[in-house]
Amino acid sequence: MKITVKYFGIIADITQKKEEVFFAEGKAITLKYIKNRIEINYPKILVTNYSIAVNKKFLQNDIELKNDDIVAFLPPFAGG
């Protein structure tokens, strides 16, 4: 299974990446698992507000991800 994680704004600054790919052989990957991995790998994200979208849909609940899903970590939006 392949999950692409994309980073935007301050989140991309923290990770110093625009995207990375996670692979899992024969095991389910949940949104919570991805979120926990990102927080472990990039602890500065813990003090940053952000939203998560899966395939361009904002989510707050844990879901089981599917092969080729795209998870986006998005900074707070500013209006103007």
Side-chain angles (χ1 to χ4, degrees), residues 26-37:
K27 117 177 179 177
I29 297 178
T30 63
L31 184 58
K32 183 177 180 179
Y33 172 83
I34 294 292
K35 183 177 182 273
N36 288 343
R37 294 301 316 152

Side-chain angles (χ1 to χ4, degrees), residues 56-68:
K56 299 183 181 180
K57 294 180 184 172
F58 287 97
L59 297 175
Q60 294 181 348
N61 298 323
D62 193 24
I63 63 164
E64 189 172 304
L65 299 170
K66 298 182 224 56
N67 189 43
D68 291 325

Side-chain angles (χ1 to χ4, degrees), residues 3-67:
I3 305 296
T4 301
V5 179
K6 296 188 175 200
Y7 307 108
F8 297 89
I10 187 88
I11 309 300
D13 293 343
I14 290 169
T15 63
Q16 297 185 355
K17 298 178 182 181
K18 292 196 179 228
E19 78 176 44
E20 62 185 313
V21 178
F22 289 83
F23 293 97
E25 282 287 324
K27 117 177 179 177
I29 297 178
T30 63
L31 184 58
K32 183 177 180 179
Y33 172 83
I34 294 292
K35 183 177 182 273
N36 288 343
R37 294 301 316 152
I38 300 307
E39 290 174 349
I40 289 167
N41 291 342
Y42 311 105
K44 287 184 181 178
I45 202 170
L46 291 169
V47 295
T48 304
N49 290 325
Y50 61 89
S51 299
I52 298 175
V54 177
N55 301 325
K56 299 183 181 180
K57 294 180 184 172
F58 287 97
L59 297 175
Q60 294 181 348
N61 298 323
D62 193 24
I63 63 164
E64 189 172 304
L65 299 170
K66 298 182 224 56
N67 189 43

